[in-house]
Amino acid sequence: MAVRKPPITTREYWAPGHAACAGCGCAAALRLATKAFSEAMEEKYGDPNAFAIAQATGCMEVVSAVFPYTAWKAPWLHVAFENAAAAASGVEAAWKKLGRKGKILAIGGDGGTADIGMQALSGMLERWHNVVYLMYDNEAYMNTGIQRSSSTPYGAWTTTSPPGKYSIGEDKPKKWVALIAAAHQIPYVATASVANPYDYIRKMKKAAKIDGPAFIQVQCTCVPGWRAPPEKSIEITRLAIETGVWPLFEIENGDFHNIKIQAPGGGAKVKREGGRVVAIEFKKPIEEYLKLQGRFKHLFKQPEAIDQLREQIKAMWKTLGVEVTLPKPEE
Amino acid sequence: MPIRKVMKANEAAAWAAKLAKPKVIAAFPITPSTLVPEKISEFVADGELDAEFIKVESEHSAISACVGASAAGVRTFTATASQGLALMHEILFIAAGMRLPIVIAVGNRALSAPINIWNDWQDTISERDTGWLQFYAENNQEALDLILIAFKVAEDERVLLPAMVGFDAFILTHTVEPVEIPDQELVDEFLGEYVPKHAYLDPSRPITQGTLAFPAHYMEARYTVWEANENAKKVIDEAFAEFEKRFGRKYQKIEEYRTDDAEIIFVTMGSLAGTVKEYVDMLREKGVKVGVAKLTVYRPFPTEEVRELAKKAKVLALLEKNVTFSVGGALFQDFSRALINEKEKPVIVDFILGLGGRDVTFKDLDEALGIAQKALAGEEFDEVNWIGLRKEIL
């Protein structure tokens, strides 16, 4: 009987027994990332374990390394909130001197990356360390409760961006760290989603095999933070892609003229010119994505706020060089 | 054969780093210690030091990269001062808590505001509770020697704590003196290769470093830092003894000068000790019974040595280039604590002086002596005295 090869290694580096919530999208993101890393190391160095992890303070750190336990089956280091990139720089430099083959994976959430960790990230990328930086983006500070970060999308409820008489919730558009990373003209930048694991694995492997810095921003749900049912995590992140909220793209060597945009699925019509995506006509309205999450519940009482979000998403796609049509739900 | 070169303390620190052969140095330039990473980058550029030199974007990242490198199992060094050390503050606790034997050379400088690049000890003194060992150099030779000793003590399995070596901004960092550079072979024998048993990021034996600890474990982790500081007292003595045997220069946690029949002992640190020794020589010629005690080691605090010292004098006059508000200087607190339960103890008079690079002159020391003599005579005196303060511009 033919035995099908598993699509990704059965080796585990993110072990069962961590304390993440049921349905945590970010736990899935870390598990897949380390598996993909392992495959890349095996293919590149013949050693599936040839990597170490430097991780920022954040929800994935506090759920995975509670003394005297650990969920990590790879060498793993946590220092502080804002310095995963700097700590990874040090580890990489040490490995170079020790003659140790392999690659460093730095992991930070959106707060530890887009806000307080931005300077260290920029320094690490600019110095060209042989590190893949993975930003798991659950769009708020989730280990301290649910406070807004600069990666929180417009309109989202958080405990520090509460909707109220004078507030729509978060009142600023989301900061796109992947584009900031790409401005360093590093070899590889990508966005990814846990709802598209094959694409995510491919990107992690590609990043891991590159000599030099790479940056990947993966969107993943936070069950309590997004006010969403645990069993809907993957469905929600898939809808983010299919409605245009979360673009999947790759930028190599900082070439903004050659951004590789991936087709979003969900019935969207993609227009290409010379192989390059220039326009996308989305079929599913962003409301389909928003309505599954309690953090956007209040927006449905103010449809103009959703229109505002639609305009911001269009503007973001325009930055990527793509004209998009975002439908409104049928009346 | 050791060579003698005329150099600044910054260069001496860079030479010490070169001799210690760290594998990773991460540094950010800051006055007055900038020459340390400059010189090290030259050593690396010329192939005289086989190390990775990480040109980080801030001191916070400098110490973070040092933690990363040290956690990966290599000897690690950096240099900084003042605001730079303050920017490292958060990570200094982490380096100590994770028991990583990083060594920092600090060009002791005042803290803002107002911004001031000159010497006092407020930068390192403000880090006294981080768990780091603290050494203070009187001259450029001591800057070099104490960095080597700091590595030796920090990496000892009984200690495993990071260490900082302070040397005074401009007074030492930018002043040339003859310095003996020891033979590399002897330094290699003294320090040995750093092979950590506890800190490594090796895929063949994966461990987790830098965990979260609940209330059930946090206190015990803090206690081990306490214990390591206590252990360091003996280890420092051993390292001093071994250093003297190999290199011929003697160090003590508290170095005494003409204290034997002294009624008043000035207590100080760093380059000020040199000034006060001269001053004491002058007074001795006039028959005044004074001496000097210099703290070479400030953390761990040499409590036993302080108690021994206290038996020798009627008045301890502390000369401090730092302030602990509403208390006086930090040494005042430390000395009071060390002596409070002693049956017989000297009077302690505290002097704050030389802040932000203000010269400490013999005239200033005369003023301090006058107050100390009042205390000696049983007259009223202020416990805390700001010396050389320009009251007319207040």
Side-chain angles (χ1 to χ4, degrees):
Chain A
M1 200 173 80
V3 178
R4 236 168 47 165
K5 188 178 176 288
I8 182 95
T9 175
T10 53
R11 288 186 295 270
E12 296 288 355
Y13 296 91
W14 169 264
H18 60 74
C21 306
C24 173
C26 299
L30 264 50
R31 184 174 173 221
L32 285 178
T34 45
K35 280 171 172 277
F37 229 84
S38 167
E39 286 196 344
M41 293 302 100
E42 187 172 33
E43 288 164 23
K44 185 160 181 176
Y45 300 112
D47 178 3
N49 302 324
F51 65 101
I53 300 165
Q55 190 162 331
T57 310
C59 52
M60 288 298 97
E61 173 263 324
V62 299
V63 302
S64 65
V66 185
F67 186 84
Y69 307 106
T70 179
W72 294 101
K73 290 186 170 183
W76 184 92
L77 168 73
H78 160 255
V79 186
F81 193 17
E82 67 282 55
N83 63 355
S89 302
V91 175
E92 186 247 16
W95 274 32
K96 217 182 258 178
K97 287 331 282 180
L98 291 168
R100 191 166 278 157
K101 278 191 177 143
K103 184 129 188 163
I104 312 305
L105 172 62
I107 300 173
D110 47 294
T113 307
D115 297 338
I116 196 169
M118 179 59 84
Q119 176 185 309
L121 172 66
S122 178
M124 187 276 278
L125 297 178
E126 165 268 319
R127 291 188 303 270
W128 224 253
H129 288 280
N130 194 23
V131 173
V132 175
Y133 192 102
L134 175 67
M135 168 182 171
Y136 66 91
D137 190 358
N138 55 19
E139 303 189 328
Y141 297 92
M142 300 309 191
N143 60 309
T144 43
I146 305 144
Q147 297 85 26
R148 63 84 66 182
S149 79
S150 61
S151 195
T152 299
Y154 178 83
W157 160 89
T158 72
T159 54
T160 51
S161 62
K165 198 172 166 189
Y166 300 105
S167 167
I168 192 61
E170 173 55 32
D171 63 351
K172 299 290 183 298
K174 182 182 178 74
K175 185 197 270 185
W176 283 91
V177 184
L179 297 178
I180 299 171
H184 292 76
Q185 303 189 43
I186 55 172
Y188 187 68
V189 168
T191 56
S193 168
V194 280
N196 197 340
Y198 293 107
D199 176 65
Y200 176 42
I201 290 163
R202 175 182 70 79
K203 286 168 174 169
M204 278 307 301
K205 286 180 71 172
K206 189 171 175 181
K209 284 185 185 176
I210 283 169
D211 291 316
F215 178 88
I216 292 182
Q217 183 174 354
V218 60
Q219 192 199 29
C220 44
T221 43
C222 172
V223 168
W226 292 18
R227 296 283 188 258
E231 70 277 13
K232 297 277 187 195
S233 277
I234 300 302
E235 187 181 333
I236 291 168
T237 28
R238 183 174 299 125
L239 279 166
I241 303 167
E242 292 177 349
T243 59
V245 169
W246 188 259
L248 293 177
F249 60 84
E250 292 169 284
I251 303 174
E252 292 184 47
N253 305 312
D255 185 357
F256 285 86
H257 298 291
N258 193 25
I259 302 178
K260 286 177 203 144
I261 307 281
Q262 278 135 275
K269 276 191 191 164
V270 177
K271 190 180 163 198
R272 287 187 169 84
E273 272 173 19
R276 179 187 159 89
V277 174
V278 292
I280 302 172
E281 193 184 321
F282 286 92
K283 291 295 174 199
K284 291 186 181 173
I286 62 170
E287 281 84 347
E288 285 199 30
Y289 168 71
L290 303 176
K291 74 183 179 193
L292 289 177
Q293 304 169 59
R295 64 174 174 156
F296 295 117
K297 197 173 159 191
H298 58 284
L299 295 185
F300 288 89
K301 290 176 198 147
Q302 285 167 283
E304 66 279 7
I306 300 182
D307 288 337
Q308 175 85 20
L309 180 59
R310 242 188 290 274
E311 290 309 310
Q312 285 176 16
I313 292 167
K314 276 186 196 169
M316 176 267 295
W317 279 99
K318 202 166 180 179
T319 308
L320 300 173
V322 183
E323 290 290 336
V324 297
T325 315
L326 299 174
K328 287 197 172 189
E330 285 170 29
E331 301 294 327
Chain B
M1 280 292 286
I3 49 168
R4 273 172 85 79
K5 278 178 72 136
V6 173
M7 64 172 80
K8 301 166 183 172
N10 276 337
E11 286 175 275
W15 270 96
K18 178 178 179 286
L19 289 164
K21 295 181 178 171
K23 287 202 166 68
V24 174
I25 298 113
F28 187 78
I30 181 166
T31 302
S33 62
T34 312
L35 184 62
V36 182
E38 281 176 350
K39 189 76 190 161
I40 288 172
S41 66
E42 279 175 29
F43 286 142
V44 173
D46 293 337
E48 290 179 50
L49 174 60
D50 179 22
E52 280 293 310
F53 182 75
I54 312 178
K55 299 175 276 272
V56 281
E57 82 294 340
S58 73
E59 286 91 348
H60 193 284
S61 282
I63 187 66
S64 300
C66 285
V67 167
S70 191
V74 301
R75 187 172 286 160
T76 308
F77 179 79
T78 185
T80 193
S82 183
Q83 308 298 127
L85 188 66
L87 186 56
M88 292 179 176
H89 174 72
E90 178 201 22
I91 310 302
L92 297 179
F93 277 92
I94 294 172
M98 289 178 68
R99 312 291 299 279
L100 300 171
I102 301 159
V103 172
I104 298 185
V106 182
N108 280 117
R109 169 188 146 183
L111 278 158
S112 291
I115 187 167
N116 174 296
I117 58 169
W118 293 274
N119 165 245
D120 63 36
W121 310 321
Q122 195 68 56
D123 51 3
T124 44
I125 287 286
S126 297
E127 306 302 345
R128 70 186 184 275
D129 298 334
T130 54
W132 284 58
L133 311 175
Q134 289 199 2
F135 299 84
Y136 288 80
E138 181 183 330
N139 52 45
N140 297 357
Q141 183 70 57
E142 291 196 10
L144 188 149
D145 292 351
L146 290 173
I147 288 170
L148 297 178
I149 290 163
F151 273 115
K152 175 88 176 171
V153 177
E155 291 171 3
D156 192 288
E157 286 287 323
R158 294 164 289 175
V159 179
L160 290 174
L161 286 175
M164 54 182 75
V165 177
F167 40 91
D168 291 339
F170 296 100
I171 300 169
L172 297 181
T173 59
H174 287 63
T175 304
V176 293
E177 289 181 336
V179 172
E180 186 177 303
I181 302 167
D183 284 338
Q184 182 68 61
E185 298 72 38
L186 281 181
V187 174
D188 289 346
E189 283 171 27
F190 177 65
L191 284 183
E193 202 184 333
Y194 174 53
V195 187
K197 290 184 198 148
H198 75 295
Y200 48 80
L201 290 169
D202 182 351
S204 66
R205 41 175 193 163
I207 59 165
T208 293
Q209 292 183 70
T211 64
L212 166 77
F214 280 5
H217 295 105
Y218 179 83
M219 206 163 152
E220 284 69 21
R222 297 294 288 167
Y223 180 75
T224 65
V225 177
W226 170 278
E227 205 174 34
N229 259 279
E230 292 302 305
N231 293 347
K233 292 176 179 175
K234 182 166 173 268
V235 176
I236 288 169
D237 286 337
E238 289 172 15
F240 282 164
E242 192 185 336
F243 190 89
E244 187 185 358
K245 212 172 82 188
R246 287 183 190 276
F247 302 100
R249 285 184 291 278
K250 184 182 171 74
Y251 289 96
Q252 291 168 290
K253 289 187 203 121
I254 296 183
E255 180 195 309
E256 295 181 30
Y257 183 75
R258 304 187 85 160
T259 53
D260 278 348
D261 60 339
E263 291 177 319
I264 297 169
I265 297 177
F266 289 107
V267 179
T268 193
M269 308 196 296
S271 65
L272 187 54
T275 310
V276 185
K277 283 176 189 170
E278 294 277 335
Y279 179 69
V280 162
D281 283 344
M282 190 192 78
L283 291 180
R284 283 283 181 177
E285 280 175 25
K286 294 178 188 165
V288 187
K289 287 183 174 177
V290 286
V292 192
K294 175 185 83 176
L295 270 77
T296 303
V297 181
Y298 176 60
R299 284 289 183 272
F301 190 72
T303 307
E304 292 310 313
E305 287 82 353
V306 164
R307 286 178 184 159
E308 287 307 309
L309 179 76
K311 287 175 189 163
K312 294 187 174 174
K314 297 194 177 76
V315 174
L316 292 180
L318 312 184
L319 304 172
E320 306 205 53
K321 293 188 184 182
N322 69 89
V323 186
T324 295
F325 292 101
S326 80
V327 170
L331 291 183
F332 190 47
Q333 246 181 347
D334 295 316
F335 272 68
S336 305
R337 185 261 161 198
L339 301 177
I340 188 153
N341 289 331
E342 296 296 286
K343 281 201 180 77
E344 289 193 19
K345 47 186 171 260
V347 169
I348 305 174
V349 198
D350 198 19
F351 300 98
I352 293 166
L353 73 183
L355 301 186
R358 177 76 48 91
D359 277 344
V360 179
T361 63
F362 278 15
K363 195 169 153 257
D364 295 325
L365 296 176
D366 280 342
E367 191 183 338
L369 179 70
I371 297 166
Q373 281 172 330
K374 267 195 198 175
L376 182 66
E379 294 170 32
E380 272 192 27
F381 65 98
D382 290 333
E383 284 183 337
V384 181
N385 305 275
W386 289 62
I387 298 293
L389 198 65
R390 295 180 58 200
K391 289 198 174 117
E392 71 277 11
I393 61 167
L394 283 174

